[in-house]
Amino acid sequence: MGRMIETDWGKPLHIAVTSEGDIQKFTTIEQARYWLRRKWPVDDPARVIALDRIEAAMDCLGSIGAARRAFLAAVRSAGFRQEGLVS
């Protein structure tokens, strides 16, 4: 059985993913990609850009930093909030 190797993408991102403030911790780029593909509430340009940047970084064709920034833009676009910015 194959093992999936996950890529650390720096400091974990804690995102409030519900209006009740439920927090999802993103520690790897694969987790972010999974959420963008399977659990994202909106299909908008920010989501598309984030997926493109994440996949480029996973293929060593882009930076992890660019992927994180695009993911955070998609977070805001979807109405989610980064922990620490939750009101």
Side-chain angles (χ1 to χ4, degrees), residues 36 40 42-54 70 74:
L36 286 165
W40 219 245
V42 295
D43 186 16
D44 65 357
R47 176 186 168 271
V48 172
I49 291 167
L51 273 171
D52 286 345
R53 300 264 165 82
I54 283 172

Side-chain angles (χ1 to χ4, degrees), residues 6-13 25-29 31-32 68:
E6 292 190 331
T7 306
D8 178 30
W9 71 338
K11 184 178 177 183
L13 298 173
K25 181 178 174 183
F26 293 90
T27 58
T28 67
I29 200 167
Q31 288 174 314
R68 283 175 66 99

Side-chain angles (χ1 to χ4, degrees), residues 14-36:
H14 296 85
I15 308 296
V17 294
T18 66
S19 57
E20 292 78 30
D22 295 329
I23 302 294
Q24 175 66 41
K25 181 178 174 183
F26 293 90
T27 58
T28 67
I29 200 167
E30 290 84 2
Q31 288 174 314
R33 182 176 68 168
Y34 173 81
W35 268 73
L36 286 165

Side-chain angles (χ1 to χ4, degrees), residues 45-86:
R47 176 186 168 271
V48 172
I49 291 167
L51 273 171
D52 286 345
R53 300 264 165 82
I54 283 172
E55 290 176 359
M58 290 176 73
D59 292 336
C60 300
L61 299 172
S63 74
I64 295 291
R68 283 175 66 99
R69 287 188 298 276
F71 180 70
L72 288 172
V75 164
R76 290 187 296 275
S77 180
F80 295 154
R81 299 241 191 290
Q82 188 174 359
E83 185 181 68
L85 304 175
V86 179

